[in-house]
């Protein structure tokens, strides 16, 4: 009898802790969206699943979960502009959160040298040919996007996709010149899971 009562109290305590954690997480998500309506507007952009603010290694960071899009440079440009004014001003880094898997990560590793060389030299056509050949060998789809700041890579395989951002060489900045917001990409790891709204459930592997 005593063991059964103890087990019942343990289950009730665990359920209470889980419920409290969910409520706190949901309240924090709601409060952030209410305090920063710009995040809600970002979520209306094509391809954006959710957007969150937080503190990353570079300082104030904007995490954005992005599905495959037709014009990634246009989306990144919109995110950069949003991160430089108004409620999102002061953001130091934008992180594109994708749905990568092991196959896509291996393919990116194979392409890394060609991507770095192309971003540094500006030989984009040769880079695209090399990446297309490697993508076919690895059984994935690849698209490249280029703007003044970086080369952006989109790899796809089934329901999974991966983004990578390779910065291009930039001229030296003058004193007082605004520093561009940095952009990078990451998979649905611990940081992304912490930031994801509870309504989305578990991250895709």
């Amino acid at each position: 009898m005593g063991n059964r009562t103890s087990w019942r109290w343990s289950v009730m305590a665990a359920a209470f802790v889980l419920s409290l954690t969910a409520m706190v997480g949901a309240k924090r998500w709601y409060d952030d969206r209410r305090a920063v309506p710009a995040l809600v507007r970002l979520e209306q952009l094509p391809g954006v699943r959710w957007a969150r603010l937080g503190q990353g290694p570079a300082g104030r960071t904007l995490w954005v979960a992005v599905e495959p899009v037709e014009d990634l440079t246009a989306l990144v440009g919109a995110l950069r502009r949003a991160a430089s004014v108004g409620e999102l001003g002061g953001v130091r880094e934008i992180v594109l959160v994708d749905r990568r898997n092991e196959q896509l990560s291996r393919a990116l590793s194979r392409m890394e040298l060609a991507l770095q060389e192309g971003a540094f030299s500006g030989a984009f056509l040769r880079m695209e040919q090399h990446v297309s050949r490697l993508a076919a060998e690895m059984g994935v789809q690849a698209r490249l996007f280029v703007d003044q700041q970086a080369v952006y890579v989109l790899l796809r395989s089934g329901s999974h996709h991966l983004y990578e951002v390779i910065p291009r060489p930039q001229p030296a900045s003058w004193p007082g010149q605004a520093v561009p917001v940095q952009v990078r990409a990451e998979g649905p790891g611990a940081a992304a899971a912490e930031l994801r709204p509870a309504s989305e459930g578990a991250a895709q592997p």
Side-chain angles (χ1 to χ4, degrees):
M1 182 69 178
N3 289 339
R4 182 177 301 176
T5 301
S6 176
W7 176 82
R8 185 176 300 167
W9 278 108
S10 297
V11 172
M12 292 175 63
F16 174 76
V17 170
L18 290 174
S19 298
L20 184 62
T21 301
M23 290 173 61
V24 170
K27 184 178 186 304
R28 184 176 63 179
W29 173 248
Y30 173 77
D31 288 345
D32 283 353
R33 289 166 67 91
R34 183 179 61 180
V36 189
L39 296 178
V40 180
R41 293 194 293 272
L42 288 183
E43 291 173 351
Q44 306 306 311
L45 295 174
V48 174
R49 288 193 293 120
W50 54 259
R52 279 298 298 271
L53 273 177
Q55 288 295 316
R60 197 176 194 214
T61 300
L62 174 65
W63 279 268
V64 186
V66 181
E67 295 294 331
V69 294
E70 287 299 317
D71 191 348
L72 183 59
T73 55
L75 176 58
V76 170
L79 294 176
R80 286 186 188 276
R81 289 190 295 273
S84 63
V85 297
E87 298 151 321
L88 299 181
V91 165
R92 303 307 305 150
E93 186 173 54
I94 298 170
V95 181
L96 308 179
V97 182
D98 55 33
R99 296 177 184 265
R100 65 185 64 192
N101 61 8
E102 185 63 29
Q103 179 191 17
L104 294 176
S105 295
R106 288 197 303 269
L108 177 64
S109 181
R110 286 279 306 276
M111 300 171 183
E112 193 69 34
L113 181 61
L115 292 168
Q116 294 288 346
E117 181 182 34
F120 181 79
S121 67
F124 301 128
L125 289 178
R126 185 173 62 185
M127 174 182 64
E128 184 176 36
Q129 293 170 354
H130 197 172
V131 167
S132 296
R133 178 177 60 80
L134 291 173
E137 292 177 2
M138 299 290 289
V140 303
Q141 298 172 289
R143 286 195 65 184
L144 301 180
F145 307 84
V146 179
D147 65 13
Q148 293 296 321
Q149 302 292 335
V151 172
Y152 307 91
V153 185
L154 168 60
L155 301 181
R156 302 181 66 176
S157 177
S159 62
H160 296 275
H161 68 283
L162 174 152
Y163 283 116
E164 180 68 341
V165 182
I166 300 96
R168 296 179 58 189
Q170 299 296 313
S173 59
W174 295 95
Q177 181 178 345
V179 178
V181 177
Q182 300 301 304
V183 181
R184 64 180 176 89
E186 67 179 25
E194 169 70 15
L195 292 160
R196 191 180 58 253
S199 61
E200 287 212 353
Q204 297 294 322

